[in-house]
Amino acid sequence: ISGVKGTVRRKMHQVFMARWEYFHSPLMTAAYMLDPQYIRREFTAEEEGELREIMKKLARAHPTFTHENMIEQYGLARTEMFCETGEFVEDGAAWRAATTLNPVTWAQIYLYKWKDLQWVAKRLGGLSASASPCEHSWSIEGWIHSARRNRMQQSRVEHMVRFHSNLVLEKAAKEWEDNAFLWEDEMAISDPAE
């Protein structure tokens, strides 16, 4: 970058490389490979090796699933996706849903035939395959740590960011409860009379 001092350029490079290394760990690679928006892409042998490595580690956490089954099911699922057979041929619904559903819900609906793979996809689906959540948190932090409140300690700012996020989640949960369907209330089972 022309016009930028060498010290600033080195610091920018360090920040960039730290983010690059974070998002290019085997765990993030596996989350990316199982994300429904990216699952149909061609991956390198190195990326597939990283996915296998993560599946081996995850298989240890489950009493009945094996990494061999996970890898086999991943291959079967991708074959069906590329050949567009089964669930993936019905008007492209699975691929339209990939852009609207979160990865965990998508895995629950469309990977039901491959239980081991579904289990892995649901665990890794909570990881973001992009930097957007971090950028959002930093934006909130910048809003909280404005010029008027610049004497705050970093720990206080982080607590306020968490507090703000919890308020947003609480509001969303309240809206969810307020939008209950009437028939859900009618179907509720009441406690037996004493």
Side-chain angles (χ1 to χ4, degrees):
I1 303 173
S2 61
V4 177
K5 292 180 182 177
T7 55
V8 174
R9 186 177 303 136
R10 281 190 294 280
K11 286 194 181 271
M12 289 172 59
H13 186 261
Q14 287 174 341
V15 169
F16 175 79
M17 291 309 295
R19 286 187 185 182
W20 178 266
E21 288 172 15
Y22 175 77
F23 284 107
H24 287 85
S25 70
L27 186 64
M28 290 303 195
T29 301
Y32 172 75
M33 290 177 72
L34 291 171
D35 188 298
Q37 292 188 30
Y38 309 112
I39 199 167
R40 291 198 300 178
R41 292 189 178 175
E42 289 294 326
F43 299 108
T44 65
E46 181 183 353
E47 291 170 328
E48 289 180 0
E50 290 178 355
L51 177 65
R52 285 186 176 91
E53 177 186 327
I54 293 301
M55 286 183 172
K56 282 181 185 177
K57 290 179 181 179
L58 286 174
R60 290 186 220 134
H62 197 280
T64 59
F65 294 160
T66 64
H67 78 279
E68 290 90 359
N69 284 349
M70 291 175 187
I71 292 166
E72 179 185 357
Q73 290 178 11
Y74 179 73
L76 292 171
R78 282 186 47 97
T79 300
E80 192 170 303
M81 288 173 203
F82 283 118
C83 296
E84 296 194 351
T85 60
E87 303 297 320
F88 301 99
V89 76
E90 299 174 11
D91 298 331
W95 307 125
R96 282 195 308 279
T99 60
T100 57
L101 296 175
N102 68 53
V104 175
T105 305
W106 189 88
Q108 184 123 12
I109 294 170
Y110 293 102
L111 299 180
Y112 70 91
K113 289 193 260 184
W114 307 286
K115 293 298 180 192
D116 296 17
L117 180 63
Q118 182 186 48
W119 183 80
V120 172
K122 286 167 52 177
R123 296 310 169 278
L124 296 179
L127 296 174
S128 176
S130 71
S132 296
C134 295
E135 298 290 346
H136 182 73
S137 291
W138 292 331
S139 175
I140 292 170
E141 185 174 326
W143 172 71
I144 289 172
H145 202 258
S146 66
R148 293 177 73 192
R149 296 183 288 255
N150 67 355
R151 288 183 278 167
M152 294 173 70
Q153 293 179 343
Q154 185 62 30
S155 61
R156 173 76 55 142
V157 173
E158 290 169 5
H159 287 295
M160 290 185 76
V161 169
R162 178 178 262 170
F163 181 70
H164 177 270
S165 300
N166 287 342
L167 284 174
V168 170
L169 287 173
E170 186 176 52
K171 180 181 176 192
K174 176 77 172 118
E175 288 174 3
W176 176 263
E177 290 171 5
D178 290 345
N179 292 329
F181 296 111
L182 294 176
W183 59 270
E184 288 175 339
D185 291 336
E186 293 170 3
M187 293 183 68
I189 300 172
S190 58
D191 292 332
E194 292 182 18

